[in-house]
Amino acid sequence: MSDRILQDQEFQLPVSRVFIAATLLAALLLDWLPWQGIWLTFRPDFVALVLLYWCMHKPYHVGISVAWTVGILADVADASLFGQHALAYSVLAFSGIVFYRRVLMFNLHQQTLQIFPLFLLAYTVYAMVHWQLHGNISWKYFIGSVVSSLLWAPMTILLQALRRPRAAPNQT
């Protein structure tokens, strides 16, 4: 029960919009790393991870408009079809906002199972755009949804650790 109380208190902690923007920018930079070979197949979508985290934990601060804006930036940076990431991130943000109460009821390991269909939906949008452009579906998109789901727990732990207020050095 005490874990539930701590999680509720963590949910109510204020977070600055600058910090949210900084985490989204850091995720964009991670997505822009030069992935090659087999690593390109297993590359998670860091922007989707961070975006879904903020949609789950601060749904009144980060929503569909932020997802669309970050998606447009990702489209420009990747030189991909304009609007592909924006559409996928908007669908992901909408899903995260709709299901955030349900997902946050579970512990982190159970959340991974709840998050997987949301990432699968976003990666399905990527696959449908690829199908419209090239006439076939690349199944490599769906491997990224598994890897992104597996990174949900470590990424959540990292962002929660960064959000916690620091005690002053002179306090005990």
Side-chain angles (χ1 to χ4, degrees):
M1 185 66 176
S2 65
D3 291 336
R4 172 49 84 206
I5 293 170
L6 288 175
Q7 187 179 16
D8 288 342
Q9 290 172 348
E10 188 272 331
F11 182 77
Q12 295 174 358
L13 283 176
V15 64
S16 72
R17 294 185 191 269
V18 173
F19 181 69
I20 293 172
T23 57
L24 287 169
L25 179 64
L28 274 169
L29 293 174
L30 282 173
D31 268 353
W32 296 340
L33 287 175
W35 300 86
Q36 296 176 356
I38 189 93
W39 298 109
L40 187 59
T41 304
F42 292 106
R43 177 183 66 140
D45 193 347
F46 293 106
V47 176
L49 271 166
V50 173
L51 186 66
L52 188 60
Y53 174 84
W54 289 120
C55 287
M56 294 276 182
H57 288 84
K58 294 295 177 187
Y60 298 113
H61 293 292
V62 178
I64 298 170
S65 61
V66 172
W68 182 264
T69 305
V70 171
I72 292 294
L73 290 174
D75 287 329
V76 169
D78 281 350
S80 61
L81 180 67
F82 197 65
Q84 175 183 355
H85 286 93
L87 180 62
Y89 293 161
S90 297
V91 167
L92 185 68
F94 176 77
S95 303
I97 291 168
V98 167
F99 292 116
Y100 83 93
R101 289 182 189 261
R102 174 185 172 172
V103 171
L104 293 180
M105 286 187 335
F106 300 105
N107 65 29
L108 278 178
H109 299 294
Q110 294 168 336
Q111 282 181 15
T112 301
L113 295 174
Q114 300 293 317
I115 291 298
F116 175 69
L118 303 181
F119 282 122
L120 193 61
L121 180 64
Y123 278 82
T124 300
V125 171
Y126 290 137
M128 289 293 119
V129 170
H130 187 271
W131 175 65
Q132 288 292 318
L133 289 175
H134 303 289
N136 62 355
I137 293 179
S138 176
W139 297 103
K140 293 179 182 180
Y141 288 117
F142 298 108
I143 295 172
S145 64
V146 174
V147 176
S148 295
S149 298
L150 291 174
L151 287 177
W152 174 256
M155 191 272 316
T156 301
I157 291 169
L158 175 68
L159 286 177
Q160 286 178 350
L162 292 173
R163 286 181 58 194
R164 289 210 176 87
R166 307 288 188 261
N170 57 2
Q171 292 180 345
T172 56

